[in-house]
Amino acid sequence: MTIRYEINPPRVIEDKVLSHKEVQASLKRVQKRISKISNLCDGIHLTDSVLGVPRISPITTGAIIRSDGIKMDITASLRVRDRNITALTQSVYDAILLGLDGLLILKGDEPPKGPKDSKLVPSDVVRHFKDLGFGKNLDFFLSIPADPDFDKITKKISAEPTGFVTQVIQSKNQVFRIVDRLKPQGFKIIPCIMIPSENNARSARMLGIEFSRYEESVLDFIAEIYKLTKDVLITSPNDFAAATKILAGIKGLKRK
């Protein structure tokens, strides 16, 4: 039973390539945020170069968090779009050796520069690593839409991941439909919920999310989803303060 919080590792490029000192300062800020919320949630999920913008490796960031002595579930996204199978294999080895708990294997956004598409398919990559036996030491997840066409994700289901992380959901019915179809097959389901706030509004518009569907009772909404899956991923890309407030509220509900 896990409440996870999604966090982006520091960028290595803003308007220019950042210096080592600037990157380290950004990393310290991320560490402080994670330390602050570590008693409010059960796990951290680290993204991998969202929108293709280069960031510190989520696996490296996860290892730093683990070395800080924070005892919580740590998962990370791993893009296949701009990596070959050799690089991915090294990342999986690193994730195991550095004490991470799971990897979300996904295609990833197209980067502004560099390789555009390795032609690797996330479901094939998960099957490859499970066939090699890595599934004994690491959970592997795949991403699915909030409203999946189950006939179009049969390859993902056949890959037999540990479970599925949804794209951002906005209704209980979306989750109920996924749970009803996939949970009986033994898959974990991790719905992703975006915290409604003015600072997150632009991200919501980009994803077609309507906060009005749940913003007046966000804690109740999260609690209902949590009851269905026992595992929720909270995302708040531009509003850490709002996320902290909601996570504190969720913790209060879990105590009741």
Side-chain angles (χ1 to χ4, degrees):
M1 297 189 289
T2 308
I3 298 291
R4 308 172 191 267
Y5 175 62
E6 182 181 71
I7 197 161
N8 298 324
R11 295 186 183 194
V12 295
I13 295 177
E14 296 285 354
D15 297 327
K16 59 181 178 62
V17 177
L18 300 183
S19 68
H20 176 74
K21 184 177 180 179
E22 290 171 321
V23 171
Q24 289 299 310
S26 295
L27 188 55
K28 283 292 184 183
R29 287 194 293 271
V30 169
Q31 287 178 272
K32 286 182 179 179
R33 287 189 170 189
I34 293 173
S35 178
K36 183 175 180 179
I37 65 164
S38 61
N39 65 335
L40 299 179
C41 58
D42 312 298
I44 292 292
H45 180 77
L46 298 154
T47 63
D48 187 8
S49 297
V50 176
L51 301 180
V53 177
R55 294 178 181 268
I56 293 178
S57 160
I59 295 174
T60 299
T61 307
I64 292 170
I65 296 167
R66 189 66 85 204
S67 68
D68 285 343
I70 296 176
K71 299 183 183 298
M72 60 195 321
D73 196 271
I74 300 176
T75 55
S77 295
L78 188 61
R79 296 159 51 93
V80 306
R81 178 183 289 278
D82 42 13
R83 292 182 175 93
N84 58 35
I85 198 66
T86 301
L88 290 168
T89 301
Q90 185 61 58
S91 293
V92 172
Y93 271 119
D94 290 344
I96 293 172
L97 291 173
L98 296 172
L100 272 63
D101 299 285
L103 293 174
L104 168 59
I105 308 297
L106 41 70
K107 188 73 174 180
D109 302 305
E110 185 174 302
K113 296 181 180 179
K116 300 296 184 183
D117 193 350
S118 66
K119 306 301 181 184
L120 292 174
V121 178
S123 54
D124 290 340
V125 171
V126 167
R127 170 50 64 191
H128 172 73
F129 287 131
K130 285 183 66 75
D131 287 346
L132 291 176
F134 288 119
K136 297 176 183 178
N137 305 105
L138 204 62
D139 289 334
F140 286 97
F141 296 93
L142 287 168
S143 175
I144 57 173
D147 292 298
D149 180 337
F150 293 108
D151 290 335
K152 292 183 178 180
I153 63 167
T154 54
K155 190 171 183 179
K156 290 190 175 187
I157 295 171
S158 298
E160 298 183 331
T162 305
F164 298 96
V165 179
T166 76
Q167 294 176 2
V168 178
I169 61 101
Q170 54 189 326
S171 79
K172 181 180 177 181
N173 286 339
Q174 288 177 313
V175 179
F176 182 83
R177 179 171 172 266
I178 294 170
V179 167
D180 185 59
R181 181 66 175 265
L182 297 179
K183 204 165 186 181
Q185 299 180 54
F187 296 115
K188 288 185 180 179
I189 308 298
I190 307 178
C192 182
I193 303 173
M194 186 179 290
I195 300 301
S197 79
E198 184 176 344
N199 288 345
N200 288 331
R202 183 172 178 272
S203 295
R205 286 194 296 271
M206 289 175 60
L207 298 172
I209 303 302
E210 297 179 17
F211 286 153
S212 60
R213 300 182 67 175
Y214 61 91
E215 63 183 340
E216 291 186 3
S217 55
V218 61
L219 283 178
D220 290 339
F221 178 66
I222 294 172
E224 289 178 350
I225 302 305
Y226 182 76
K227 286 178 182 177
L228 286 173
T229 62
K230 303 302 181 185
D231 210 325
V232 172
L233 175 61
I234 302 298
T235 185
S236 186
N238 300 299
D239 201 334
F240 180 69
T244 302
K245 182 178 179 180
I246 292 298
L247 288 170
I250 296 170
K251 184 174 182 179
L253 289 177
K254 288 176 69 177
R255 286 173 175 169
K256 294 180 179 178

